[in-house]
Amino acid sequence: NAGVTQTPKFQVLKTGQSMTLQCAQDMNHEYMSWYRQDPGMGLRLIHYSVGAGITDQGEVPNGYNVSRSTTEDFPLRLLSAAPSQTSVYFCASSYVGTGRRLNYGYTFGSGTRLTVV
Amino acid sequence: KQEVTQIPAALSVPEGENLVLNCSFTDSAIYNLQWFRQDPGKGLTSLLLIQSSQREQTSGRLNASLDKSSGRSTLYIAASQPGDSATYLCASRMDSSYKLIFGSGTRLLVRP
């Protein structure tokens, strides 16, 4: 089925370890983004991209890196995991521009639950 | 800076009741507003999207309205069912950005 696919679904890391959260979409969306969701904090934007080769920081970018080499993929890298990065991570995508393409809104993946011990 | 607020934070109703969830935003220069549903431990499922030029959108038992001038959107759920129990989130996209700004959500429980 078309949509946003996130892997892995669950991950436990030790403090200081690195890992990459994968996100892939098959809807030819230009815009892709990463959010983290924490109790009492809601969903907060980490990084986003409006096309291949273009990335920018969101609200809470520290400790995370991203790159966008293809339209389909937008991986999120944790370089040195910290307990404060324990969270649920969501990837979302959408079309950019105006008009009918934006009638489809944003599509979210099912999330990655990350625990850093 | 856009701020999105959802009231109430939690709501418990008996099955069959009609209910309204509220979403307010501080900056009326929104491009669109989207309502999502999130089940415990799951991702976000899009329910309805309202463009800034629209007043309302309907899907089945759901109706979402938008009043930019007052900075409000409402999600109306008719004849609620236990399967409607979930957290409902609204999110606005601003004219100048592709970013979504989320409210903190309303946790709905529909009692059999």
Side-chain angles (χ1 to χ4, degrees), chain A residues 4-34:
Chain A
V4 177
T5 302
Q6 290 185 237
T7 56
K9 293 189 182 303
F10 301 94
Q11 183 71 49
V12 179
L13 286 179
K14 294 182 179 179
T15 298
Q17 285 185 317
S18 63
M19 80 159 295
T20 299
L21 280 62
Q22 302 291 345
C23 175
Q25 53 90 13
D26 58 3
M27 297 169 284
N28 207 30
H29 286 169
E30 299 94 342
Y31 179 86
M32 296 186 74
S33 57
W34 279 99

Side-chain angles (χ1 to χ4, degrees), chain A:
Chain A
N1 291 338
V4 177
T5 302
Q6 290 185 237
T7 56
K9 293 189 182 303
F10 301 94
Q11 183 71 49
V12 179
L13 286 179
K14 294 182 179 179
T15 298
Q17 285 185 317
S18 63
M19 80 159 295
T20 299
L21 280 62
Q22 302 291 345
C23 175
Q25 53 90 13
D26 58 3
M27 297 169 284
N28 207 30
H29 286 169
E30 299 94 342
Y31 179 86
M32 296 186 74
S33 57
W34 279 99
Y35 287 84
R36 60 178 289 175
Q37 185 177 37
D38 303 288
M41 302 293 290
L43 281 143
R44 294 179 292 171
L45 182 65
I46 305 171
H47 284 287
Y48 64 97
S49 167
V50 296
I54 305 170
T55 63
D56 207 344
Q57 296 181 350
E59 186 183 356
V60 288
N62 292 340
Y64 306 96
N65 276 359
V66 292
S67 60
R68 184 94 179 271
S69 57
T70 67
T71 300
E72 294 79 18
D73 301 297
F74 191 45
L76 178 71
R77 297 183 185 86
L78 282 71
L79 301 178
S80 179
S84 61
Q85 294 178 304
T86 294
S87 186
V88 181
Y89 292 85
F90 289 102
C91 179
S93 69
S94 78
Y95 291 114
V96 300
T98 58
R100 287 181 301 168
R101 282 154 57 91
L102 289 175
N103 286 343
Y104 298 95
Y106 292 78
T107 301
F108 277 75
S110 57
T112 295
R113 188 173 296 273
L114 176 68
T115 302
V116 182
V117 298

